PDB file of all heavy atoms in Angstrom:
ATOM      1  N   ARG A  18      18.964 130.871 106.460  1.00 98.00           N
ATOM      2  CA  ARG A  18      19.192 130.790 104.961  1.00 98.00           C
ATOM      3  C   ARG A  18      18.308 129.770 104.373  1.00 98.00           C
ATOM      4  O   ARG A  18      17.621 130.107 103.277  1.00 98.00           O
ATOM      5  CB  ARG A  18      20.713 130.456 104.579  1.00 98.00           C
ATOM      6  CG  ARG A  18      21.543 131.683 104.623  1.00 98.00           C
ATOM      7  CD  ARG A  18      22.941 131.362 104.270  1.00 98.00           C
ATOM      8  NE  ARG A  18      23.721 132.679 104.066  1.00 98.00           N
ATOM      9  CZ  ARG A  18      24.120 133.043 102.776  1.00 98.00           C
ATOM     10  NH1 ARG A  18      23.773 132.366 101.573  1.00 98.00           N
ATOM     11  NH2 ARG A  18      24.813 134.121 102.567  1.00 98.00           N
ATOM     12  N   MET A  19      18.027 128.644 105.145  1.00 98.00           N
ATOM     13  CA  MET A  19      17.107 127.564 104.617  1.00 98.00           C
ATOM     14  C   MET A  19      15.750 128.131 104.546  1.00 98.00           C
ATOM     15  O   MET A  19      14.898 127.807 103.712  1.00 98.00           O
ATOM     16  CB  MET A  19      17.204 126.379 105.479  1.00 98.00           C
ATOM     17  CG  MET A  19      18.096 125.371 104.778  1.00 98.00           C
ATOM     18  SD  MET A  19      18.741 124.086 105.924  1.00 98.00           S
ATOM     19  CE  MET A  19      17.797 124.086 107.354  1.00 98.00           C
ATOM     20  N   THR A  23      17.326 136.801 104.270  1.00 99.00           N
ATOM     21  CA  THR A  23      18.646 137.434 103.970  1.00 99.00           C
ATOM     22  C   THR A  23      19.275 137.841 105.296  1.00 99.00           C
ATOM     23  O   THR A  23      18.539 138.295 106.211  1.00 99.00           O
ATOM     24  CB  THR A  23      18.606 138.520 103.025  1.00 99.00           C
ATOM     25  OG1 THR A  23      17.580 139.488 103.501  1.00 99.00           O
ATOM     26  CG2 THR A  23      18.088 138.147 101.536  1.00 99.00           C
ATOM     27  N   LEU A  47      18.876 146.602 105.158  1.00 98.00           N
ATOM     28  CA  LEU A  47      19.339 145.905 104.041  1.00 98.00           C
ATOM     29  C   LEU A  47      18.918 144.331 103.946  1.00 98.00           C
ATOM     30  O   LEU A  47      19.137 143.747 102.908  1.00 98.00           O
ATOM     31  CB  LEU A  47      20.963 146.012 103.913  1.00 98.00           C
ATOM     32  CG  LEU A  47      21.476 147.313 103.482  1.00 98.00           C
ATOM     33  CD1 LEU A  47      22.990 147.369 103.691  1.00 98.00           C
ATOM     34  CD2 LEU A  47      21.181 147.495 102.057  1.00 98.00           C
ATOM     35  N   ASP A  49      16.785 140.795 105.882  1.00 98.00           N
ATOM     36  CA  ASP A  49      15.629 140.341 106.791  1.00 98.00           C
ATOM     37  C   ASP A  49      16.073 140.277 108.309  1.00 98.00           C
ATOM     38  O   ASP A  49      15.345 140.568 109.315  1.00 98.00           O
ATOM     39  CB  ASP A  49      15.058 138.919 106.377  1.00 98.00           C
ATOM     40  CG  ASP A  49      14.508 138.947 105.011  1.00 98.00           C
ATOM     41  OD1 ASP A  49      13.833 139.886 104.638  1.00 98.00           O
ATOM     42  OD2 ASP A  49      14.848 138.028 104.208  1.00 98.00           O
ATOM     43  N   VAL A  52      22.707 140.870 111.905  1.00 99.00           N
ATOM     44  CA  VAL A  52      23.672 140.419 113.023  1.00 99.00           C
ATOM     45  C   VAL A  52      24.710 141.494 113.227  1.00 99.00           C
ATOM     46  O   VAL A  52      25.328 141.997 112.214  1.00 99.00           O
ATOM     47  CB  VAL A  52      24.391 139.158 112.583  1.00 99.00           C
ATOM     48  CG1 VAL A  52      25.292 138.690 113.685  1.00 99.00           C
ATOM     49  CG2 VAL A  52      23.307 137.940 112.225  1.00 99.00           C
ATOM     50  N   PRO A 100      41.509 129.657 118.992  1.00 98.00           N
ATOM     51  CA  PRO A 100      41.871 128.709 119.999  1.00 98.00           C
ATOM     52  C   PRO A 100      43.372 128.454 119.821  1.00 98.00           C
ATOM     53  O   PRO A 100      43.987 128.810 118.873  1.00 98.00           O
ATOM     54  CB  PRO A 100      41.041 127.488 119.536  1.00 98.00           C
ATOM     55  CG  PRO A 100      40.607 127.734 118.132  1.00 98.00           C
ATOM     56  CD  PRO A 100      40.725 129.219 117.929  1.00 98.00           C
ATOM     57  N   PRO A 122      52.194 147.641 111.102  1.00 96.00           N
ATOM     58  CA  PRO A 122      52.554 146.386 110.406  1.00 96.00           C
ATOM     59  C   PRO A 122      51.646 145.258 110.954  1.00 96.00           C
ATOM     60  O   PRO A 122      51.440 145.076 112.195  1.00 96.00           O
ATOM     61  CB  PRO A 122      54.006 146.089 110.814  1.00 96.00           C
ATOM     62  CG  PRO A 122      54.558 147.406 111.369  1.00 96.00           C
ATOM     63  CD  PRO A 122      53.343 148.222 111.696  1.00 96.00           C
ATOM     64  N   HIS A 124      48.473 144.986 110.713  1.00 98.00           N
ATOM     65  CA  HIS A 124      47.158 145.391 111.056  1.00 98.00           C
ATOM     66  C   HIS A 124      46.154 144.911 110.100  1.00 98.00           C
ATOM     67  O   HIS A 124      45.174 144.085 110.499  1.00 98.00           O
ATOM     68  CB  HIS A 124      47.051 146.913 111.104  1.00 98.00           C
ATOM     69  CG  HIS A 124      45.690 147.444 111.207  1.00 98.00           C
ATOM     70  ND1 HIS A 124      44.894 147.440 112.281  1.00 98.00           N
ATOM     71  CD2 HIS A 124      44.856 148.033 110.316  1.00 98.00           C
ATOM     72  CE1 HIS A 124      43.719 147.916 112.138  1.00 98.00           C
ATOM     73  NE2 HIS A 124      43.711 148.343 110.927  1.00 98.00           N
ATOM     74  N   GLY A 127      45.423 141.265 110.259  1.00 98.00           N
ATOM     75  CA  GLY A 127      44.684 140.899 111.365  1.00 98.00           C
ATOM     76  C   GLY A 127      43.225 141.102 111.092  1.00 98.00           C
ATOM     77  O   GLY A 127      42.355 140.323 111.420  1.00 98.00           O
ATOM     78  N   THR A 130      41.790 138.493 108.528  1.00 98.00           N
ATOM     79  CA  THR A 130      41.663 137.179 109.136  1.00 98.00           C
ATOM     80  C   THR A 130      40.395 137.182 109.935  1.00 98.00           C
ATOM     81  O   THR A 130      39.629 136.131 109.961  1.00 98.00           O
ATOM     82  CB  THR A 130      42.969 136.910 110.032  1.00 98.00           C
ATOM     83  OG1 THR A 130      44.044 136.900 109.217  1.00 98.00           O
ATOM     84  CG2 THR A 130      42.799 135.480 110.662  1.00 98.00           C
ATOM     85  N   ILE A 138      31.359 132.549 109.671  1.00 99.00           N
ATOM     86  CA  ILE A 138      30.543 132.127 110.897  1.00 99.00           C
ATOM     87  C   ILE A 138      29.066 132.728 110.746  1.00 99.00           C
ATOM     88  O   ILE A 138      28.124 131.979 110.915  1.00 99.00           O
ATOM     89  CB  ILE A 138      31.125 132.697 112.204  1.00 99.00           C
ATOM     90  CG1 ILE A 138      32.508 132.149 112.404  1.00 99.00           C
ATOM     91  CG2 ILE A 138      30.235 132.593 113.381  1.00 99.00           C
ATOM     92  CD1 ILE A 138      33.424 132.837 113.413  1.00 99.00           C
ATOM     93  N   LEU A 154      38.090 149.404 104.105  1.00 98.00           N
ATOM     94  CA  LEU A 154      36.938 149.017 103.323  1.00 98.00           C
ATOM     95  C   LEU A 154      37.606 148.464 101.891  1.00 98.00           C
ATOM     96  O   LEU A 154      37.072 147.385 101.442  1.00 98.00           O
ATOM     97  CB  LEU A 154      36.223 150.361 103.004  1.00 98.00           C
ATOM     98  CG  LEU A 154      35.245 150.292 101.916  1.00 98.00           C
ATOM     99  CD1 LEU A 154      34.087 149.416 102.275  1.00 98.00           C
ATOM    100  CD2 LEU A 154      34.701 151.771 101.645  1.00 98.00           C
ATOM    101  N   LEU A 164      38.946 136.210  96.829  1.00 98.00           N
ATOM    102  CA  LEU A 164      38.592 134.787  97.297  1.00 98.00           C
ATOM    103  C   LEU A 164      37.100 134.384  96.960  1.00 98.00           C
ATOM    104  O   LEU A 164      36.621 133.509  97.522  1.00 98.00           O
ATOM    105  CB  LEU A 164      38.729 134.814  98.876  1.00 98.00           C
ATOM    106  CG  LEU A 164      40.129 135.172  99.330  1.00 98.00           C
ATOM    107  CD1 LEU A 164      40.207 135.012 100.982  1.00 98.00           C
ATOM    108  CD2 LEU A 164      41.217 134.297  98.753  1.00 98.00           C
ATOM    109  N   THR A 175      30.926 158.493 106.436  1.00 98.00           N
ATOM    110  CA  THR A 175      31.381 158.895 107.735  1.00 98.00           C
ATOM    111  C   THR A 175      30.498 159.794 108.465  1.00 98.00           C
ATOM    112  O   THR A 175      29.977 160.827 107.875  1.00 98.00           O
ATOM    113  CB  THR A 175      32.701 159.579 107.630  1.00 98.00           C
ATOM    114  OG1 THR A 175      33.569 158.637 106.884  1.00 98.00           O
ATOM    115  CG2 THR A 175      33.342 159.828 109.024  1.00 98.00           C
ATOM    116  N   PRO A 192      40.390 164.299 125.832  1.00 94.00           N
ATOM    117  CA  PRO A 192      39.838 165.169 126.761  1.00 94.00           C
ATOM    118  C   PRO A 192      39.114 166.266 125.867  1.00 94.00           C
ATOM    119  O   PRO A 192      39.468 166.484 124.725  1.00 94.00           O
ATOM    120  CB  PRO A 192      41.016 165.740 127.594  1.00 94.00           C
ATOM    121  CG  PRO A 192      42.210 165.290 126.850  1.00 94.00           C
ATOM    122  CD  PRO A 192      41.950 164.145 125.867  1.00 94.00           C
ATOM    123  N   ARG A 198      40.082 170.382 119.318  1.00 95.00           N
ATOM    124  CA  ARG A 198      41.152 170.559 118.374  1.00 95.00           C
ATOM    125  C   ARG A 198      41.167 169.436 117.241  1.00 95.00           C
ATOM    126  O   ARG A 198      41.507 169.742 116.094  1.00 95.00           O
ATOM    127  CB  ARG A 198      42.530 170.429 119.182  1.00 95.00           C
ATOM    128  CG  ARG A 198      43.631 171.227 118.717  1.00 95.00           C
ATOM    129  CD  ARG A 198      44.567 171.397 119.914  1.00 95.00           C
ATOM    130  NE  ARG A 198      44.937 170.210 120.617  1.00 95.00           N
ATOM    131  CZ  ARG A 198      46.174 169.602 120.345  1.00 95.00           C
ATOM    132  NH1 ARG A 198      46.966 170.086 119.458  1.00 95.00           N
ATOM    133  NH2 ARG A 198      46.460 168.497 120.891  1.00 95.00           N
ATOM    134  N   TYR A 203      39.415 167.525 109.771  1.00 98.00           N
ATOM    135  CA  TYR A 203      38.376 167.708 108.738  1.00 98.00           C
ATOM    136  C   TYR A 203      38.596 169.098 108.115  1.00 98.00           C
ATOM    137  O   TYR A 203      38.470 169.386 106.942  1.00 98.00           O
ATOM    138  CB  TYR A 203      36.984 167.532 109.344  1.00 98.00           C
ATOM    139  CG  TYR A 203      35.907 167.554 108.326  1.00 98.00           C
ATOM    140  CD1 TYR A 203      35.988 166.593 107.268  1.00 98.00           C
ATOM    141  CD2 TYR A 203      34.876 168.390 108.379  1.00 98.00           C
ATOM    142  CE1 TYR A 203      34.959 166.643 106.318  1.00 98.00           C
ATOM    143  CE2 TYR A 203      33.888 168.316 107.407  1.00 98.00           C
ATOM    144  CZ  TYR A 203      33.909 167.520 106.347  1.00 98.00           C
ATOM    145  OH  TYR A 203      32.924 167.390 105.357  1.00 98.00           O
ATOM    146  N   GLN A 217      43.880 174.031  91.946  1.00 98.00           N
ATOM    147  CA  GLN A 217      45.186 173.597  92.264  1.00 98.00           C
ATOM    148  C   GLN A 217      45.200 172.041  92.094  1.00 98.00           C
ATOM    149  O   GLN A 217      44.351 171.294  92.547  1.00 98.00           O
ATOM    150  CB  GLN A 217      45.569 173.847  93.762  1.00 98.00           C
ATOM    151  CG  GLN A 217      46.917 173.450  94.271  1.00 98.00           C
ATOM    152  CD  GLN A 217      48.057 174.023  93.406  1.00 98.00           C
ATOM    153  OE1 GLN A 217      48.488 173.348  92.447  1.00 98.00           O
ATOM    154  NE2 GLN A 217      48.463 175.282  93.589  1.00 98.00           N
ATOM    155  N   ARG A 218      46.226 171.568  91.463  1.00 98.00           N
ATOM    156  CA  ARG A 218      46.253 170.080  91.068  1.00 98.00           C
ATOM    157  C   ARG A 218      47.619 169.428  91.714  1.00 98.00           C
ATOM    158  O   ARG A 218      47.655 168.187  91.864  1.00 98.00           O
ATOM    159  CB  ARG A 218      46.315 169.801  89.601  1.00 98.00           C
ATOM    160  CG  ARG A 218      44.909 170.185  88.961  1.00 98.00           C
ATOM    161  CD  ARG A 218      43.783 169.204  89.369  1.00 98.00           C
ATOM    162  NE  ARG A 218      42.582 169.620  88.825  1.00 98.00           N
ATOM    163  CZ  ARG A 218      41.651 170.332  89.332  1.00 98.00           C
ATOM    164  NH1 ARG A 218      41.853 170.922  90.471  1.00 98.00           N
ATOM    165  NH2 ARG A 218      40.450 170.500  88.705  1.00 98.00           N
ATOM    166  N   LEU A 222      51.822 170.865  96.907  1.00 98.00           N
ATOM    167  CA  LEU A 222      51.241 172.074  97.417  1.00 98.00           C
ATOM    168  C   LEU A 222      50.028 171.967  98.181  1.00 98.00           C
ATOM    169  O   LEU A 222      49.776 172.575  99.128  1.00 98.00           O
ATOM    170  CB  LEU A 222      51.009 173.151  96.190  1.00 98.00           C
ATOM    171  CG  LEU A 222      52.224 173.590  95.497  1.00 98.00           C
ATOM    172  CD1 LEU A 222      51.953 174.401  94.292  1.00 98.00           C
ATOM    173  CD2 LEU A 222      53.209 174.324  96.437  1.00 98.00           C
ATOM    174  N   GLY A 259      37.858 162.658  92.283  1.00 98.00           N
ATOM    175  CA  GLY A 259      37.710 161.286  92.742  1.00 98.00           C
ATOM    176  C   GLY A 259      38.772 160.840  93.669  1.00 98.00           C
ATOM    177  O   GLY A 259      38.637 159.720  94.367  1.00 98.00           O
ATOM    178  N   ALA A 271      45.933 159.657 121.336  1.00 93.00           N
ATOM    179  CA  ALA A 271      44.964 158.923 120.375  1.00 93.00           C
ATOM    180  C   ALA A 271      45.416 159.027 118.917  1.00 93.00           C
ATOM    181  O   ALA A 271      45.817 160.075 118.488  1.00 93.00           O
ATOM    182  CB  ALA A 271      43.517 159.535 120.522  1.00 93.00           C
ATOM    183  N   ARG A 272      45.370 157.872 118.183  1.00 96.00           N
ATOM    184  CA  ARG A 272      45.747 157.883 116.782  1.00 96.00           C
ATOM    185  C   ARG A 272      44.367 158.034 116.036  1.00 96.00           C
ATOM    186  O   ARG A 272      43.551 157.176 116.127  1.00 96.00           O
ATOM    187  CB  ARG A 272      46.511 156.663 116.397  1.00 96.00           C
ATOM    188  CG  ARG A 272      46.969 156.735 114.963  1.00 96.00           C
ATOM    189  CD  ARG A 272      47.795 155.526 114.582  1.00 96.00           C
ATOM    190  NE  ARG A 272      48.350 155.537 113.289  1.00 96.00           N
ATOM    191  CZ  ARG A 272      47.906 155.154 112.184  1.00 96.00           C
ATOM    192  NH1 ARG A 272      46.516 154.861 112.101  1.00 96.00           N
ATOM    193  NH2 ARG A 272      48.491 155.302 111.086  1.00 96.00           N
TER     194      ARG A 272
END
Side-chain angles (χ1 to χ4, degrees):
R18 278 182 167 255
M19 260 162 17
T23 54
L47 283 169
D49 300 322
V52 180
H124 170 69
T130 303
I138 295 164
L154 169 70
L164 300 182
T175 304
R198 211 154 55 98
Y203 190 53
Q217 183 57 263
R218 294 291 179 270
L222 291 176
R272 185 176 189 276

